[in-house]
Amino acid sequence: MSWTRRTRDARRLAATLLTLGFLLVTPSRAQAKNYVDTTNPRKITVTVPIDLIGGEDDIAQQWEDAIRDYWNDGPGIGKFEYCGKSVKFVPDIQPIAAGQKGRLDAHKIRMQLLSPGRDFISKVRGLDPAKNSGGIWGSNEDDATIAHEFGHLLGLLDEYEWTPYTDTNANNRWESGEALNDDKNHNGKRDPGEPTHPIPSFEGSIMAEHDGKVVQGLIDEAMRRHGLECWEVTWHEEHGIPRVITSGDGELQLTVGPGGSVSGEGDGMLSGAGGALPYTLEVTGTREEDAFHLTLAATPGGSVSVVAPIHDDTARGIWNLGEAGGFNRGTVTLECASCVAAVG
Amino acid sequence: MTRRVLPVALFAFAFVVPGCIGGDDRIEEEAVAAVEGFDPARPDSMDRLNQVVARGGDVISVLEPFVAGPDPIRTWAALYVVALLADSESDADVLAPLLLDPDPANRVIAAGSLAGLGRKDALPVLIQGLGAEAALPYTDPPRSAADLAAEALVAYTAESFATPEAWRSWWDGVGERLRWDGERYVLD
């Protein structure tokens, strides 16, 4: 075999391996645009990669600041929480020059360069946070608009509406006698002078109004749209069985991440003849389709593994161990707090 | 040599040259179609208008009849594109009549664009717009015309007043002495 042929074959092999590697890596990365990290027992971090096509560094920085101001601190509201953990959004905006390739796993937003005072309507297409979104944002958009569009990248919908009439008999068409609401000239179309209004009970939300804020309901909905579940956990344990010497009780909130990994931390109280002892309990493990596989680690104390089968929106696990220092028996009960969607 | 040049020349005549000649016409046709077909109930309608804006080109003259037309939806759609693309004196002339439009949102949209083209008569319209309760049509999130008016005034005058009355007072005091320096209005 000639040197040229060997080189060519080696290149083919390298290209094949590269392609194979690309194929192996691409599907999972390309589907997960927003990265959710639930491994920290006290914090959920949502990283949102955005390729800003035609954008510049100063605009990218300005928009990152605007998004953080709205979504991490919530002006006048304080830090947002979900399932007992603080929620942090990390906008990762990278300007992409013409002809430059962007990231596989980033939302693609094109920047339209505009002078101040020009009315541009920015848009995001594709509101599934697990898939690629595209869109166009005007360079002169204010912080409120950027915060609203970022909400769309989290999978959130608009919370305003144009209601032409009150469909009292629910037949999806206007009939004589039904009140005409937003369709002022009764032509069946939304004319430029016919504004929208916030959906009732959504007033004050940045997804409903330009002067709105990020409210807790948006955080809850964004977490649900990223596949996060929240379970309320209570536990009870007894030491020194059959003659109970001490018993411990407590509760915490458990976050189930998109991959089924669970994490949560809470406080408990151990009480007995010797008085009361506060302790912390950290819960880790996985949520399978039909059961939780959990490790409960108490500090001070020790850890125990337990399987809690899921029935509907609840799960219950029991452990009964004979250990050095006394018998140990306990139960853990989980109830899904996020299974009933309550948007708002 | 001839054998190499000939295919290139044929390719140019077959694809590149017609593309260049027909390019402007196609851009104009797409702009007209986007405005004529604009339906506020369909999200892709807004995308089409934005594509026309992003593509740019000389489409203002073909949209002028819609700006002055009787259908308020077509007027808004054309005004949206024209106000975003206007960058010359002749473009400004298309927008100028809208400073007297009965719709306060249309007045502010036109004035916001004209103010950045050095048309000083847009400033009192913007100041008047500060008190307007009208919403800018189809904005996402819904935004008031007054908000856009304030943005344009602050950007092009480097002034910042808290109330419409304060802006009016400022205009009464210095309006005649203001001139456009290419970026903002300055005192003579």
Side-chain angles (χ1 to χ4, degrees), chain B residues 35-177:
Chain B
V35 169
E36 277 185 327
F38 179 73
D39 177 355
R42 294 182 51 180
D44 62 325
S45 266
M46 198 65 238
D47 290 340
R48 286 182 75 192
L49 290 182
N50 280 345
Q51 281 164 16
V52 171
V53 173
R55 203 177 293 127
D58 184 15
V59 298
I60 291 179
S61 56
V62 295
L63 296 183
E64 187 175 1
F66 295 100
V67 173
D71 178 349
I73 292 181
R74 255 27 69 198
T75 296
W76 175 84
L79 169 60
Y80 176 77
V81 174
V82 171
L84 287 166
L85 289 179
D87 68 351
S88 68
E89 279 291 312
S90 59
D91 296 344
D93 290 341
V94 174
L95 287 172
L98 284 148
L99 293 179
L100 301 171
D101 195 90
D103 185 330
N106 284 353
R107 290 200 298 271
V108 169
I109 293 169
S113 184
L114 287 167
L117 294 171
R119 292 289 184 103
K120 198 168 77 171
D121 54 345
L123 297 184
V125 176
L126 289 172
I127 291 170
Q128 188 191 36
L130 292 171
E133 290 184 1
L136 292 170
Y138 314 123
T139 42
D140 176 48
R143 189 184 181 197
S144 70
D147 199 51
L148 181 69
E151 176 194 317
L153 283 167
V154 170
Y156 293 123
T157 67
E159 299 286 354
S160 181
F161 299 107
T163 64
E165 292 71 30
W167 277 104
R168 225 167 277 131
S169 171
W170 167 81
W171 172 255
D172 291 343
V174 303
E176 284 187 9
R177 290 187 288 139

